[in-house]
Amino acid sequence: MDSFDTRPDRDAEVVLVGRSNVGKSTLMREITGHRFDTGGKPGVTRSPNHYDWTAQDFVITDLPGFGFMSGVEGDRREQIKTAIVQYLETHADKILVGVLVLDGKSAVDIIDRHSGPDEIPYDVEMYHFLRDLDIPTVVAVNKMDKVDDRDERLDDLCDRLGLLPPWKQWQDTIAPIKAKNGQIDALNEAVRTHLHEQQRDDLFQFF
């Protein structure tokens, strides 16, 4: 198992979680200004990427993608998911904000495809898991440049996450972004709201 215990000793953390290939590494690069390996194929990030500022007691972590990855066996996928869950549980009291990154174009379809009597879709499960850990959660809905019916799509997503539409009343939770184009203001605003509630305005400089 790739190492999940490389976390710098920091008391404040923001984590990015999400399926493979939703643009987490691109978003991480936008936030930090630092390049990480972004692969053309899903599942390139196999262990957490941490980025910390030595002068600050703060780290941003990009956790590996979960869910289906072409070319990655089911057992391995489960191992990664288990490791992510354990990481979040272990560090929950230090995580100021959890950012669940979704692909705006495909998220609703993927959720619907995996919704059944015995099945909770990964994205919905992860959203509620973060909330259950009392981690303030922002859903970064990425790749919105590929979405035509924007409001309708975001309303549908709220519905699947158990938030009553319209999405615009959830702007501390739902943040439509285009990470590749550097358009992440909605995410920064939402993250700042949660940082402010925890008296951490000193971290605004990063968002």
Side-chain angles (χ1 to χ4, degrees), residues 7-13 57-58 93-96 200:
R7 183 185 185 277
D9 185 19
R10 296 284 182 262
D11 282 332
E13 182 172 14
D57 190 16
F58 175 60
D93 57 337
K94 295 182 176 180
I95 298 173
L96 302 177
R200 291 307 303 261

Side-chain angles (χ1 to χ4, degrees), residues 56 85 106 119 152 176:
Q56 294 279 345
V85 163
S106 63
E119 196 172 24
E152 190 181 325

Side-chain angles (χ1 to χ4, degrees), residues 1-13:
M1 190 64 203
D2 296 310
S3 177
F4 263 72
D5 55 9
T6 53
R7 183 185 185 277
D9 185 19
R10 296 284 182 262
D11 282 332
E13 182 172 14

